[in-house]
Amino acid sequence: MLYAVFIDTLPRVLRTGPVTYPLFIRTVPTSIETSEATSATLPRHSIRSNSLRQDTEITHINALLYADDVAIFGDPSDVQMMLAACQLHSAQFGYRWHPAKCKVIYEPDPTTTDTPTFRLYGISLENVPFFTYLGIPFSQRGIHTGQMTTIARTKAIAAMTTLANIGAHQHGFGLNLALNIYRTFVRPMLEYGLAIVKPSPAERNALESAQTRCLRLALNVRNPTATTPTVMVQHLAALPSINFRRLSLTLRHLIRAETCSPATLLACVSLRVRQENKNMQVWRLLTNPRRNDTLLPAFHAARKVAPLNTSRNPVTAFLRDRHQEEWDKRRVKSTLARRARNKPIWDPILYAPASTNSRRRLFFWRAGWLPSYPLSACACGAPKADRHHLTLCPEVGPAIARLREIVPIDFPPHDHPIDTVLNALPLRRHLYKEGHWRKSWPFLLSLLRDIDVATHPTDPPEPERSLLHDTPPTDEVTPLPHRDN
């Protein structure tokens, strides 16, 4: 009950103050006439030239409340007046603010030595360079993007490290679950607040490096200075870059601002910005079609050229196309990515039925670590066992040729047969027990084990149950390999 009274009455106290007239905080007026007219009607105001403020009219909002987190802002005299109003409000309803938790962000004017002191219950409040409100660090100039990036990186890496310590990696819970945990719980920490800021290139690179660090932890690579490539981890899990996620979230927020109910505060603010403040710097950056850091103009242009009426959610369809473009660029740069699927989907090798060791070999093959890198000698006596040699090797070559026979798909001449089969894997687990996959899937897992043995003749893997290559294919259901542990 007290909270209901608090959230209902405090905003009105801050708006009206101890006098009859409401409290307005004004920045640079749009014209002299506006300034003179406003000064004649308002009992108190603050005239302060600040080019960093985006609005150039009277600001009717001087406080933000979310639950018990309250932020007040304005001229020093106005802020002290609102602090006094908060103190009177707490005495009236029997609660108390915590002065030690209250901070002030104020940069004194360098041309004067008179620095105001802000007090609550007679206690001076600490002046800080920035303060975190609802998880977003603010400074005198607004959102502190650099500090926000640092907090996000530190928080995400610490969370992923904790999760890896309890088994969220490829040797513990498995790579599939580890990447799902990262995507669900850790990546939102890196994305929080990105939709409302424009990080610099250095800050964007810092966030990308944080995602790379988290993916290495999913691989159980604990050394922070390691350079283990993660391009295939991103590719197999269909993870876009953090910058693409930022652009996607920003687009969704802007579309929401354009299409939400007219009765909402967001609709009122966005309508005012679009109609009266088209020259506002933030809106100009978001709607400029010549800039490559916003998707809103491209989305509207795409809808005019080819309306996305066939999709229930045109925004999702547009972002899916843009994700495909980023995916194609990654495939151009990476040979390993070109060998994988050509669409951004969660690769079946992460969840198809297989033992722990078999899944490790599947990932190693995709990542280019099987055959081993650097290349080692083959069991047949060849000095370097690369992928091309495997098709000719007397140890595993016949099995690769047989794989072509039992999998009824087209094999491109320039692609490795194992890559072709992996790209044709079904997307649902139950399909591995139907059709030719009853025989070909266990056969493929056994083939990868034989490749592992042939390319590591001095350090063979531990024995495990698998389907023998010399077993002729029959119509009987072939049991899947048992788990190793």
Side-chain angles (χ1 to χ4, degrees):
M1 183 63 183
L2 176 60
Y3 173 73
V5 174
F6 166 83
I7 203 66
D8 183 58
T9 59
L10 183 60
R12 288 183 290 177
V13 170
L14 294 176
R15 176 59 62 87
T16 60
V19 295
T20 306
Y21 299 97
L23 176 64
F24 293 94
I25 299 175
R26 185 181 58 182
T27 56
V28 180
T30 56
S31 64
I32 299 177
E33 291 78 12
T34 304
S35 175
E36 294 176 352
T38 307
S39 300
T41 57
L42 300 181
R44 58 184 183 277
H45 55 271
S46 60
I47 302 177
R48 179 178 55 177
S49 176
N50 189 346
S51 60
L52 299 174
R53 291 289 297 271
Q54 298 296 335
D55 53 317
T56 57
E57 299 179 352
I58 299 173
T59 304
H60 298 267
I61 302 175
N62 61 341
L64 299 174
L65 287 83
Y66 183 84
D68 59 345
D69 293 326
V70 181
I72 57 178
F73 40 87
D75 187 84
S77 60
D78 294 332
V79 170
Q80 185 57 60
M81 191 176 300
M82 287 185 284
L83 287 173
C86 291
Q87 181 175 335
L88 292 175
H89 187 269
S90 66
Q92 179 182 359
F93 291 99
Y95 69 94
R96 182 178 175 84
W97 302 96
H98 199 308
K101 294 183 179 180
C102 300
K103 308 297 180 183
V104 176
I105 301 177
Y106 178 71
E107 293 183 5
D109 189 352
T111 61
T112 179
T113 58
D114 186 14
T115 303
T117 302
F118 303 91
R119 298 180 179 274
L120 185 63
Y121 305 115
I123 302 175
S124 298
L125 303 182
E126 181 185 4
N127 191 6
V128 294
F130 62 87
F131 183 74
T132 302
Y133 179 68
L134 301 182
I136 303 294
F138 287 85
S139 67
Q140 179 77 6
R141 299 169 179 254
I143 298 179
H144 198 298
T145 309
Q147 187 67 20
M148 187 183 75
T149 302
T150 302
I151 293 175
R153 290 184 68 256
T154 304
K155 190 175 181 180
I157 294 176
M160 193 64 193
T161 301
T162 302
L163 291 169
N165 289 337
I166 62 176
H169 53 79
Q170 67 170 345
H171 303 308
F173 302 155
L175 188 58
N176 182 48
L177 183 56
L179 293 176
N180 269 294
I181 289 175
Y182 163 75
R183 185 178 62 174
T184 305
F185 298 106
V186 180
R187 190 177 66 179
M189 299 179 186
L190 295 173
E191 300 172 351
Y192 184 71
L194 283 183
I196 58 176
V197 298
K198 183 179 181 298
S200 65
E203 292 163 350
R204 292 199 297 266
N205 291 337
L207 292 174
E208 297 291 352
S209 66
Q211 175 168 261
T212 301
R213 175 79 177 102
C214 292
L215 295 180
R216 290 194 180 113
L217 288 171
L219 295 176
N220 202 31
V221 179
R222 306 302 182 93
N223 186 0
T225 61
T227 59
T228 305
T230 59
V231 60
M232 281 310 298
V233 181
Q234 280 187 264
H235 206 74
L236 295 177
L239 294 174
S241 63
I242 295 297
N243 187 54
F244 178 80
R245 288 288 299 170
R246 176 183 70 87
L247 297 176
S248 303
L249 294 173
T250 303
L251 176 64
R252 292 185 182 276
H253 280 69
L254 293 174
I255 297 299
R256 174 62 176 165
E258 291 182 346
T259 59
C260 63
S261 172
T264 61
L265 176 61
L266 177 60
C268 297
V269 173
S270 62
L271 181 63
R272 179 184 180 90
V273 167
R274 283 180 284 160
Q275 291 182 347
E276 303 181 13
N277 295 317
K278 291 185 178 180
N279 293 327
M280 181 181 286
Q281 180 182 3
V282 173
W283 190 256
R284 188 168 63 251
L285 291 175
L286 293 175
T287 57
N288 187 354
R290 296 183 179 180
R291 301 187 65 90
N292 58 2
D293 54 359
T294 177
L295 296 179
L296 183 63
F299 172 74
H300 289 311
R303 296 204 68 181
K304 291 180 181 179
V305 175
L308 305 175
N309 296 329
T310 56
S311 174
R312 290 186 297 178
N313 192 333
V315 179
T316 301
F318 172 79
L319 292 178
R320 187 185 300 115
D321 294 339
R322 285 307 179 104
H323 189 191
Q324 182 67 53
E325 292 179 7
E326 185 185 61
W327 188 273
D328 294 338
K329 292 179 181 178
R330 185 185 298 167
R331 286 169 55 86
V332 171
K333 297 179 181 178
S334 172
T335 302
L336 294 174
R338 286 196 296 272
R339 296 171 180 166
R341 292 175 180 256
N342 56 7
K343 292 184 179 181
I345 62 173
W346 198 271
D347 199 289
I349 71 166
L350 296 174
Y351 58 83
S355 67
T356 302
N357 288 337
S358 295
R359 196 176 311 282
R360 175 181 59 83
R361 296 188 190 100
L362 287 167
F363 172 71
F364 278 17
W365 179 270
R366 283 295 205 193
W369 301 338
L370 184 68
S372 61
Y373 183 83
L375 296 175
S376 60
C378 182
C380 68
K384 291 184 178 181
D386 56 12
R387 292 190 173 211
H388 176 69
H389 166 75
L390 295 178
T391 59
L392 306 175
C393 176
E395 299 287 335
V396 296
I400 294 178
R402 188 176 171 195
L403 181 66
R404 292 173 174 266
E405 300 174 359
I406 64 176
V407 180
I409 60 175
D410 295 331
F411 289 86
H414 301 292
D415 294 344
H416 198 282
I418 295 180
D419 290 329
T420 304
V421 174
L422 292 179
N423 292 336
L425 292 179
L427 302 182
R428 300 188 180 276
R429 286 177 59 94
H430 69 87
L431 296 178
Y432 291 85
K433 298 180 181 180
E434 302 176 4
H436 70 87
W437 294 111
R438 295 180 302 172
K439 303 180 291 291
S440 56
W441 175 241
F443 185 86
L444 175 62
L445 298 181
S446 183
L447 170 59
L448 289 175
R449 183 187 182 277
D450 287 352
I451 292 176
D452 195 7
V453 173
T455 55
H456 298 85
T458 60
D459 186 22
E462 297 179 0
E464 59 183 284
R465 293 188 59 178
S466 62
L467 183 66
L468 298 178
H469 296 297
D470 54 358
T471 302
T474 63
D475 294 333
E476 298 180 359
V477 177
T478 303
L480 296 176
H482 294 282
R483 291 188 177 276
D484 301 320
N485 48 22

